[in-house]
Amino acid sequence: MLMAVSKKIVLRFPKRLVDKPIVSRLVRDYNLDFNILKASVTPEEEGLLVLELTGDRKDYDRGIGYLLKAGVKIQSLSQEVTRNEERCTHCGACVTICPTGAFVLDLKTRSIRFRGEKCIACGLCISACPPHAMEVHF
Ligand code: SF4
Ligand code: SF4
């Protein structure tokens, strides 16, 4: 019996791979289905894709192996990103970096609100936060 898996993952494509038909090969060569949840380009011109990838377990593992070999960085959405409130200085550096708009400037209090429910755990804010207030948990 085939075992189906469906996982949400974040793919980061280095600049040299951004124009390559990498994801379409997942369908053609590995029988996987995908659903693009989010696509954007980071400030470093990396391509960022959030996908729900579905298929037979064996195909899935082979497809992930193919992506890694091609130089794509993969993160699972099973990790969680939180903010250490004591460290946050509300500097705002994270606001434009976050691809999903998880940080909002509250004009009344001049503070940055973190909406954890919007976070897809891409990790971009972690290195961008000067006082290292953003933390990743596995
Ligand atoms: S970059 Fe860090 S310190 Fe600045 S507002 Fe965002 S979470 Fe807070
Ligand atoms: S990890 Fe940071 S940058 Fe990425 S979605 Fe979550 S809050 Fe936004």
Side-chain angles (χ1 to χ4, degrees), residues 12-136:
R12 290 203 212 183
F13 296 82
K15 206 171 164 187
R16 68 185 162 87
L17 294 179
V18 166
D19 297 334
K20 302 266 162 29
I22 293 206
V23 172
S24 59
R25 278 199 57 191
L26 291 175
V27 178
R28 210 180 58 215
D29 299 347
Y30 300 94
N31 308 314
L32 298 172
D33 274 336
F34 68 88
N35 184 13
I36 296 183
L37 305 173
K38 173 93 201 166
S40 63
V41 175
T42 72
E44 294 80 32
E45 294 182 49
E46 270 184 339
L48 187 91
L49 262 191
V50 183
L51 291 183
E52 184 159 21
L53 202 56
T54 309
D56 172 51
R57 169 96 251 172
K58 255 205 309 208
D59 290 333
Y60 181 89
D61 291 346
R62 282 172 53 235
I64 293 291
Y66 156 70
L67 290 174
L68 289 172
K69 216 166 147 205
V72 178
K73 287 190 223 134
I74 304 176
Q75 273 177 303
S76 160
L77 283 189
S78 55
Q79 65 191 31
E80 195 195 5
V81 170
T82 58
R83 182 166 75 174
N84 182 331
E85 298 300 333
E86 281 171 14
R87 284 198 169 179
C88 176
T89 57
H90 300 275
C91 68
C94 51
V95 175
T96 51
I97 278 172
C98 177
T100 65
F103 298 99
V104 276
L105 170 63
D106 185 328
L107 284 172
K108 258 200 227 140
T109 57
R110 307 289 308 163
S111 63
I112 307 297
R113 212 149 41 83
F114 174 51
R115 298 184 292 178
E117 73 283 0
K118 290 233 161 201
C119 174
I120 54 162
C122 71
L124 285 180
C125 58
I126 295 187
S127 51
C129 172
H132 307 292
M134 300 308 295
E135 298 169 350
V136 63

